């Protein structure tokens, strides 16, 4: 009986394919031999920012600054980042309220931060500006800060407001027509500073193009986790590791906002948000 030439050809092809797979360096790894292949890194659609600035105001809320910066400092161990601290002068900025009426116990428990640059001499390559809140957000004397936000905004890659920092940004007009949120305990006073802003509640944080805004204080940490996850290569793995080393479980749902109900703050969502 003569062998079938088509069958022989098929068997030969299968043998060649099997040999090729066995010779592949990934074959042994699939069986648990050696290290697994590295997780492919999908780069974001644009270059992630490397230069962050923080706008320092008197009577700032410390965690509005230190919360996001602590997470970004972890990121700085993984890639090059630059930090700029901006204020009117180079004198240390205090969290102490300017008014004695807001310090009725005459406390001296007020940390200070030393600026690196003044508002009139900012670095030219600033990419992200973080605006914290605190009692100082209600100050009537924020003219230089508001003017600075307005002037630098067009050149920024991103603007991030934490807590009542959105009220400061709103006064500059850069949030007009954009979605944003703020501290629900200060909702009425902050939203009044931006009548043309599309305020959103409930919201732990809100992203609208180059503008990111968080709800009150600790929400700023959750915002930064999400920002890193979205904007940096391997961001999901990085933030997972950051949460492990700091023993912190960030909120991953921007709509998870129990404080809106607590303070009876609900507004219609201006546009569909996913």
């Amino acid at each position: 009986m003569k062998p079938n030439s088509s069958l022989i050809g098929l068997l030969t092809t299968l043998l060649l394919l099997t040999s090729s797979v066995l010779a592949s360096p990934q074959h042994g790894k699939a069986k648990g031999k050696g290290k697994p292949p590295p997780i492919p890194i999908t780069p974001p659609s644009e270059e992630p920012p490397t230069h962050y600035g923080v706008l320092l105001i008197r009577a700032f809320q410390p965690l509005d600054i230190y919360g996001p910066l602590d997470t970004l400092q972890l990121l700085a161990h993984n890639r090059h980042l630059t930090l700029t601290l901006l204020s009117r002068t180079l004198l240390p900025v205090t969290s102490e309220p300017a008014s004695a009426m807001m310090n009725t116990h005459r406390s001296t428990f007020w940390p200070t931060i030393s600026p690196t640059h003044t508002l009139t001499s900012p670095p030219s390559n600033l990419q992200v500006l973080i605006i914290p809140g605190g009692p100082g957000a209600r100050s009537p004397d924020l003219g230089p800060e508001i003017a600075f936000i307005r002037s630098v905004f067009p050149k920024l890659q991103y603007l991030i407001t934490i807590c009542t920092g959105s009220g400061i940004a709103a006064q500059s007009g850069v949030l007009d027509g954009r979605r944003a949120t703020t501290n629900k305990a200060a909702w009425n006073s902050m939203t009044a500073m931006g009548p043309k802003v599309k305020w959103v509640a409930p919201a732990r944080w809100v992203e609208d193009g180059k503008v990111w805004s968080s709800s009150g204080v600790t929400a700023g940490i959750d915002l930064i986790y999400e920002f890193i996850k979205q904007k940096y290569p391997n961001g999901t793995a990085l933030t997972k590791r950051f949460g492990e080393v700091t023993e912190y479980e960030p909120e991953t749902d921007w709509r998870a906002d129990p404080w809106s109900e607590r303070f009876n703050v609900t507004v219609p969502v201006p546009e569909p948000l996913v």
Side-chain angles (χ1 to χ4, degrees):
M1 181 178 180
K2 292 183 179 180
N4 188 309
S5 58
S6 298
L7 180 59
I8 292 175
L10 179 60
L11 291 172
T12 304
T13 303
L14 290 173
L15 285 171
L16 289 172
L17 287 173
T18 304
S19 301
S20 174
V21 171
L22 290 173
S24 168
Q26 298 297 333
H27 181 72
K29 293 177 182 178
K31 291 195 172 184
K33 297 177 182 178
K35 294 183 179 179
I39 299 173
I41 296 176
T42 305
S45 56
E46 60 183 344
E47 286 297 314
T50 61
H51 194 160
Y52 287 77
V54 177
L55 181 62
L56 300 176
I57 61 166
R58 177 161 182 173
F60 59 84
Q61 181 68 35
L63 196 58
D64 285 6
I65 297 175
Y66 297 134
L69 289 195
D70 187 74
T71 308
L72 289 168
Q73 180 173 277
L74 293 172
L75 181 63
H77 285 287
N78 290 269
R79 63 190 301 121
H80 173 79
L81 293 182
T82 298
L83 174 63
T84 293
L85 302 171
L86 297 139
S87 186
R88 298 184 186 186
T89 72
L90 293 179
L91 295 174
V93 180
T94 179
S95 65
E96 180 180 4
S99 169
M101 294 178 62
M102 298 186 70
N103 185 17
T104 55
H105 297 285
R106 291 181 292 179
S107 296
T108 57
F109 201 89
W110 314 109
T112 61
I113 300 179
S114 295
T116 60
H117 292 72
T118 65
L119 300 182
T120 54
S121 301
S124 59
N125 58 343
L126 191 66
Q127 294 172 294
V128 182
L129 180 63
I130 298 174
I131 305 176
R138 296 174 174 82
S139 170
D141 180 30
L142 289 174
E145 289 77 12
I146 292 169
F148 174 75
I149 296 169
R150 188 181 297 121
S151 67
V152 78
F153 180 75
K155 297 173 281 188
L156 293 174
Q157 195 172 342
Y158 298 103
L159 177 75
I160 296 175
T161 68
I162 310 296
C163 191
T164 53
S166 56
I168 302 174
Q171 293 179 73
S172 73
V174 302
L175 301 187
D176 288 355
R178 295 180 183 269
R179 299 185 298 267
T181 195
T182 191
N183 189 317
K184 304 312 179 298
W187 183 262
N188 291 336
S189 58
M190 291 300 111
T191 56
M193 295 179 180
K196 296 181 180 180
V197 180
K198 298 177 180 179
W199 297 104
V200 180
R204 185 69 173 165
W205 72 83
V206 170
E207 172 193 357
D208 190 337
K210 66 187 283 184
V211 174
W212 288 58
S213 57
S214 85
S215 187
V217 193
T218 58
I221 304 174
D222 296 334
L223 180 153
I224 287 294
Y225 266 83
E226 183 65 23
F227 185 81
I228 294 172
K229 187 188 299 183
Q230 286 193 29
K231 304 302 178 183
Y232 289 87
N234 221 19
T236 299
L238 284 172
T239 52
K240 181 176 184 295
R241 180 59 180 157
F242 296 165
E244 290 170 348
V245 299
T246 58
E247 297 188 3
Y248 180 70
E249 191 72 38
E251 178 56 65
T252 57
D253 183 358
W254 69 269
R255 295 160 294 190
D257 179 19
W259 307 106
S260 286
E261 183 177 356
R262 178 79 61 87
F263 291 102
N264 196 29
V265 174
T266 304
V267 295
V269 178
E271 297 172 17
L273 293 174
V274 228

